[in-house]
Amino acid sequence: MAAKGDTFYAWAADAACQERGECGGAVTALLTHALKSGMVDAVLAVKKGQDIYDAVPTLITDPAEIAQTAGSLHCGTLLLSKLVKQYLDGAEKMRIAVPVKGCDAMGLYELAKRNQVNLDNVLMIGLNCGGSVSPVAARKMIREKFGVDPDDVVKEEIDKGQFIIVTKDGQHKGISMDELEEEGFGRRSNCRR
Ligand SMILES: Cc1cc2nc3c(=O)[nH]c(=O)nc-3n(C[C@H](O)[C@H](O)[C@H](O)COP(=O)(O)OP(=O)(O)OC[C@H]3O[C@@H](n4cnc5c(N)ncnc54)[C@H](O)[C@@H]3O)c2cc1C
């Protein structure tokens, strides 16, 4: 039995979910469990749209669709708390599970203080987010600093202080975030602050 404050290493039990997830798929597995078990009515998560720069928020009620949202989109600068308030009645009539960046969690708490979100109906799963990169700035950075056509990038990740891209021919290229940020690229200034 887990107690408040305990720490666990966790990953998804099913291999496909582990593979699709950013770091083992635990978040996707927890969201799937929350929906399947009836703990929540819906999951609000983020999926890839046209390309890796296009993060699309999506409300899911069928557990089979949650797999589409596995993985982290570091160019996804959307603020999920605002969507809960504006388009989901502040979770007043629906129990919703949401994976949250620090800013999303903070936004939900601030809106709840103003009675604009009902936290009793929100299940937050925190992401260890170190910051997101604006999609327009990311495209410019990839072109100018990595010397790569941004449309050739199929995956990006932030690992051990580097922003790493993977191109469609399987090449990996990483540049230190410090170096990128010294030159005005990298994470959004709000995230850095
Ligand atoms: C923008 C961002 C920056 C991150 N930076 C770091 C970091 O610097 N260091 C670190 O250790 N970990 C970072 N993480 C967390 C890490 O990438 C994984 O999300 C986390 O380890 C969980 O892994 P998982 O395999 O269980 O997640 P998965 O099972 O792959 O689930 C990831 C969940 O995140 C949601 N998601 C994807 N993109 C976004 C987004 N832009 N906004 C909100 N939700 C989103 C997906 O919908 C999905 O539900 C970051 C995550 C994000 C989204």
Side-chain angles (χ1 to χ4, degrees):
M1 191 62 185
K4 188 175 172 186
D6 284 354
T7 303
F8 295 93
Y9 290 105
W11 52 91
D14 92 88
C17 187
Q18 274 182 30
E19 178 67 26
R20 276 190 303 264
E22 186 72 19
C23 304
V27 170
T28 304
L30 288 168
L31 293 171
T32 307
H33 174 72
L35 190 55
K36 263 191 185 161
S37 64
M39 201 185 289
V40 296
D41 305 308
V43 166
L44 173 66
V46 179
K47 66 178 179 184
K48 190 170 98 175
Q50 292 297 318
D51 52 36
I52 57 148
Y53 313 98
D54 182 27
V56 179
T58 178
L59 189 73
I60 293 173
T61 51
D62 176 358
E65 289 177 15
I66 294 181
Q68 301 167 8
T69 66
S72 298
L73 291 166
H74 298 99
C75 303
T77 54
L78 29 76
L79 189 61
L80 295 173
S81 53
K82 193 171 162 184
L83 304 182
V84 173
K85 178 194 160 209
Q86 287 192 348
Y87 302 106
L88 301 172
D89 295 322
E92 205 47 65
K93 301 182 192 106
M94 194 189 247
R95 293 166 305 157
I96 306 168
V98 200
V100 287
K101 305 183 291 301
C103 54
D104 300 320
M106 186 62 86
L108 286 166
Y109 287 131
E110 290 301 322
L111 289 167
K113 283 186 203 165
R114 294 160 181 79
N115 295 319
Q116 295 177 20
V117 164
N118 181 1
L119 279 190
D120 289 341
N121 281 342
V122 178
L123 173 66
M124 290 189 241
I125 300 190
L127 305 169
N128 181 30
C129 174
S132 56
V133 182
S134 142
V136 174
R139 291 181 69 91
K140 187 169 188 285
M141 172 177 84
I142 288 167
R143 193 180 298 283
E144 292 181 13
K145 286 291 298 176
F146 289 75
V148 168
D149 179 345
D151 291 327
D152 287 344
V153 177
V154 290
K155 173 93 188 108
E156 45 65 42
E157 58 193 39
I158 299 173
D159 191 24
K160 298 188 183 74
Q162 287 205 321
F163 187 88
I164 301 165
I165 57 168
V166 183
T167 50
K168 49 189 174 195
D169 58 1
Q171 305 275 342
H172 285 62
K173 197 168 180 181
I175 300 182
S176 123
M177 208 49 129
D178 287 345
E179 183 186 329
L180 293 169
E181 292 183 354
E182 270 164 27
E183 296 184 30
F185 294 108
R187 295 164 304 161
R188 297 179 316 140
S189 55
N190 273 351
C191 300
R192 279 186 250 168
R193 194 157 49 233

